[in-house]
Amino acid sequence: MQNQAQARNLPPAVLDQAHVGDIRGAFGTVREHDLGQRKTWLARLRTLLVIMGPGLIVMVGDNDAGGVATYAQAGQNYGTHLLWVLLLLVPVLIVNQEMVVRLGLVTGVGHAKLIFERFGRFWGAFSVGDLLFVNFLTLVTEFIGVDLSMSYFGVSPYISVPVAAVLLIASTLTGSFRRWETVMYLFIAVNFLAIPLAFMSHPVAGTVIHDFFIPQMGSHFDSNMMLLIISMVGTTVAPWQLFFQQSNVIDKRLTPRWMGYERADTVIGSFVVIIGAAALIIATGFAFHGTNLAGAFVDGGAVAKGLSATLGSFAGTCFAIILLNASLIGAAAVTLSTSYAIGDTFGIKHSLHRKVSDAPGFYISYALLVLVAGGIVLIPHAPLGVITTAVQALAGILLPSATVFLLLLCNDKEVLGPWVNKLWLNIVSSFIVGVLVMLSFILAAQTLFPNIDIWLFIKVLIVVFAAGLLASIMMLYRSKGKANTAAKEAAIEIDPRMWRMPPLQELSKPVWSKTRKFGMIVLRAYLLIAVIMMIVKAIQLGLGM
């Protein structure tokens, strides 16, 4: 591991020099070399407002068109019985995104570039390929959301989709990170319309509290519910979030000096996204309860019309606006995540601080993605509702792979130095990956064997999962013990706030053990099987089977 002195004598590892300089947020500026102590709560709050942004934007952006549709489907088809899923996702969000915050602030290098450098071209191409594929499909669902929301107001998609595409491109081509972030905050403000919408449905507090803390499935549990649960996981904790927040904190020019503030930004964003998601489930759950629309989800546009019929036109209008807003912020964040990854992978300038003429590849890739995805939505008779659900489920299935790479990077001492994961965090992360894999296996089993005793299958999986987790903990404990011994022998005093990763070419290459190689092959085999099963299930839903 490079020591502090070595790290300071080497040039910064950042790939784009526009990522170095003053922090310019929507609510002010913090100078690059500001080392002053914030001794009062007011001073800390002012600094937080400047630093804040990447965590809040990535979380609210995850309540995108697919998210709004998925939460509405959960409420319309199952009432508030799936609220407990959201509560379980809070620690998943915080743990995953805190790790990418550390990677971004300490390395100054995007997620895609780190995967290529530390895992090789094959795994890098596989991982980034997953990202680009899912991101593009996700972007298509954002324009589906634009179409459905504006159709509620009688606007043709041949008008709404092109206008939305132009607005998205225009808001990003300003050459100013501050202006872009200001636009994102406007989207975030509109997101809170979900809260009054929930109150319009006259929710029963006792039922909501009960369903938040006590899992409710019972007779409703089948492969369709499992697909929906995986969709909720996929839309709330999506792979693109990892790439986006790591690149966005770098683009905002944050360093380890501001680690605490960006962690707070991430935690706040995690609760904001869950509150918004819960509000949508509550609104649709209570609005449609006892009506002929209960259990009859079609798509977001139909939900808006249904709310108008059950709660009044104002409620329908609110939902349509929420869906449109979610589509726009989701499209902006997902597309930017992709453009950041392209910049990292191909070594082109990629920063919102740069003008179009200074980073043409970055902005052209953004514009092309938006225009092509918007064009696909205009194809007549596409099964928009099924596409939306399938994309969220696909994101949930691919998440374990992304989380594994994240976990390995956060244990790489060459990359994070004194900022590597603690043992407890590795255990929690391993548990999260295991649960995500279990959910996908359950979906695959129900798709292949519809008559399977699913509860028995779940019990078997839990036993296997517990054994695997125990073995993983033992391996982590042993490896951590060796690492601690090596660190003590080094006996070098390092101030974590000042330590940053040296340039990538200065790092020694990681050595892959046979166990790690085998594990990665198994992971990819699982992904292949799970994706095929998900596609089969989506086709079955599309054909009404």
Side-chain angles (χ1 to χ4, degrees):
M1 181 179 68
Q2 302 285 340
N3 63 33
Q4 184 180 358
Q6 288 174 317
R8 280 183 167 181
N9 290 333
L10 290 168
V14 294
L15 302 178
D16 189 325
Q17 287 306 306
H19 296 158
V20 179
D22 294 342
I23 301 167
R24 302 183 184 278
F27 295 103
T29 300
V30 173
R31 298 301 176 187
E32 179 182 1
H33 301 294
D34 182 351
L35 298 177
Q37 295 296 316
R38 273 65 175 173
K39 297 182 179 180
T40 67
W41 283 104
L42 182 59
R44 292 169 187 165
L45 178 59
R46 288 174 177 169
T47 303
L48 175 62
L49 289 175
V50 177
I51 302 298
M52 200 168 170
L56 188 58
I57 292 169
V58 74
M59 297 299 181
V60 176
D62 211 34
N63 268 0
D64 58 357
V68 169
T70 300
Y71 304 137
Q73 182 180 3
Q76 184 170 357
N77 288 359
Y78 302 104
T80 55
H81 291 317
L82 294 179
L83 280 176
W84 59 272
V85 177
L86 297 179
L87 192 62
L88 293 179
L89 288 176
V90 172
V92 179
L93 282 168
I94 294 174
V95 167
N96 275 8
Q97 296 308 125
E98 188 278 335
M99 285 193 284
V100 296
V101 163
R102 267 186 291 130
L103 281 174
L105 270 58
V106 174
T107 68
V109 175
H111 206 65
K113 186 65 175 179
L114 282 179
I115 291 175
F116 267 99
E117 291 293 329
R118 304 307 286 171
F119 299 102
R121 292 183 180 179
F122 175 78
W123 296 110
F126 221 127
S127 180
V128 175
D130 284 351
L131 175 80
L132 298 182
F133 178 64
V134 177
N135 276 13
F136 181 74
L137 292 180
T138 303
L139 184 57
V140 171
T141 69
E142 311 302 358
F143 281 106
I144 291 173
V146 171
D147 175 11
L148 295 175
S149 60
M150 293 307 294
S151 293
Y152 176 82
F153 299 107
V155 179
S156 167
Y158 295 100
I159 296 175
S160 61
V161 171
V163 169
V166 171
L167 287 175
L168 284 167
I169 294 171
S171 66
T172 306
L173 301 185
T174 62
S176 167
F177 188 97
R178 173 174 289 169
R179 282 194 287 268
W180 173 84
E181 190 172 82
T182 301
V183 172
M184 294 300 105
Y185 269 111
L186 293 176
F187 288 138
I188 290 170
V190 178
N191 175 74
F192 286 98
L193 269 179
I195 296 175
L197 180 62
F199 281 104
M200 289 181 209
S201 67
H202 306 292
V204 179
T207 301
V208 171
I209 294 172
H210 177 273
D211 290 351
F212 246 124
F213 294 99
I214 300 178
Q216 296 290 304
M217 291 184 292
S219 60
H220 297 292
F221 189 72
D222 56 16
S223 60
N224 292 335
M225 176 181 271
M226 182 52 61
L227 178 63
L228 185 57
I229 290 174
I230 294 176
S231 297
M232 290 176 66
V233 174
T235 192
T236 309
V237 193
W240 69 263
Q241 291 177 265
L242 309 180
F243 291 79
F244 174 86
Q245 191 171 2
Q246 184 167 335
S247 291
N248 202 234
V249 298
I250 294 168
D251 206 4
K252 195 165 183 176
R253 301 167 173 171
L254 302 182
T255 66
R257 166 79 173 87
W258 311 108
M259 185 73 73
Y261 290 96
E262 186 51 32
R263 281 171 168 166
D265 177 29
T266 300
V267 172
I268 292 170
S270 299
F271 282 99
V272 167
V273 72
I274 294 302
I275 290 171
L280 291 171
I281 292 177
I282 292 168
T284 52
F286 284 97
F288 296 130
H289 178 69
T291 72
N292 58 357
L293 294 175
F297 174 82
V298 178
D299 55 43
V303 171
K305 294 175 183 177
L307 289 174
S308 179
T310 57
L311 300 180
S313 60
F314 182 66
T317 299
C318 278
F319 185 86
I321 292 173
I322 291 169
L323 179 58
L324 175 62
N325 179 73
S327 303
L328 294 175
I329 190 172
V334 169
T335 311
L336 190 56
S337 168
T338 309
S339 295
Y340 277 142
I342 291 173
D344 275 337
T345 302
F346 296 103
I348 61 177
K349 296 177 181 177
H350 51 292
S351 173
L352 291 169
H353 292 285
R354 293 187 180 276
K355 302 293 184 184
V356 177
S357 58
D358 195 26
F362 174 63
Y363 290 110
I364 288 173
S365 66
Y366 184 97
L368 283 177
L369 285 165
V370 168
L371 293 174
V372 174
I376 288 176
V377 174
L378 298 179
I379 298 174
H381 309 301
L384 304 183
V386 173
I387 291 174
T388 300
T389 301
V391 169
Q392 306 313 318
L394 182 61
I397 288 170
L398 294 177
L399 184 60
S401 172
T403 307
V404 166
F405 283 119
L406 174 62
L407 189 57
L408 292 173
L409 285 172
C410 285
N411 282 279
D412 190 334
K413 284 189 173 292
E414 290 285 326
V415 171
L416 281 184
W419 291 99
V420 292
N421 277 3
K422 304 295 185 184
L423 176 61
W424 69 267
L425 186 55
N426 283 330
I427 294 173
V428 172
S429 301
S430 299
F431 180 83
I432 290 171
V433 173
V435 170
L436 294 172
V437 171
M438 279 179 58
L439 288 173
S440 298
F441 269 122
I442 293 169
L443 174 63
Q446 287 190 305
T447 303
L448 279 174
F449 311 105
N451 298 320
I452 190 174
D453 184 339
I454 193 62
W455 290 112
L456 176 61
F457 183 69
I458 290 174
K459 291 176 182 177
V460 172
L461 277 182
I462 290 175
V463 172
V464 174
F465 169 65
L469 182 63
L470 180 61
S472 298
I473 292 174
M474 293 177 64
M475 291 177 63
L476 288 170
Y477 184 78
R478 290 179 60 187
S479 62
K480 208 67 178 178
K482 293 178 181 179
N484 289 338
T485 300
K488 289 179 181 178
E489 291 175 355
I492 298 174
E493 188 70 25
I494 297 176
D495 181 359
R497 295 174 301 171
M498 303 302 296
W499 198 94
R500 296 200 77 185
M501 184 185 77
L504 289 168
Q505 63 270 19
E506 300 292 333
L507 305 182
S508 59
K509 294 297 181 181
V511 179
W512 279 54
S513 65
K514 292 182 179 180
T515 302
R516 176 176 288 190
K517 290 179 181 179
F518 176 75
M520 296 302 290
I521 292 173
V522 170
L523 178 63
R524 286 303 172 183
Y526 143 76
L527 285 173
L528 179 62
I529 295 171
V531 168
I532 291 173
M533 293 303 99
M534 189 280 300
I535 293 173
V536 170
K537 186 62 187 176
I539 293 173
Q540 289 177 348
L541 287 176
L543 296 176
M545 299 172 61

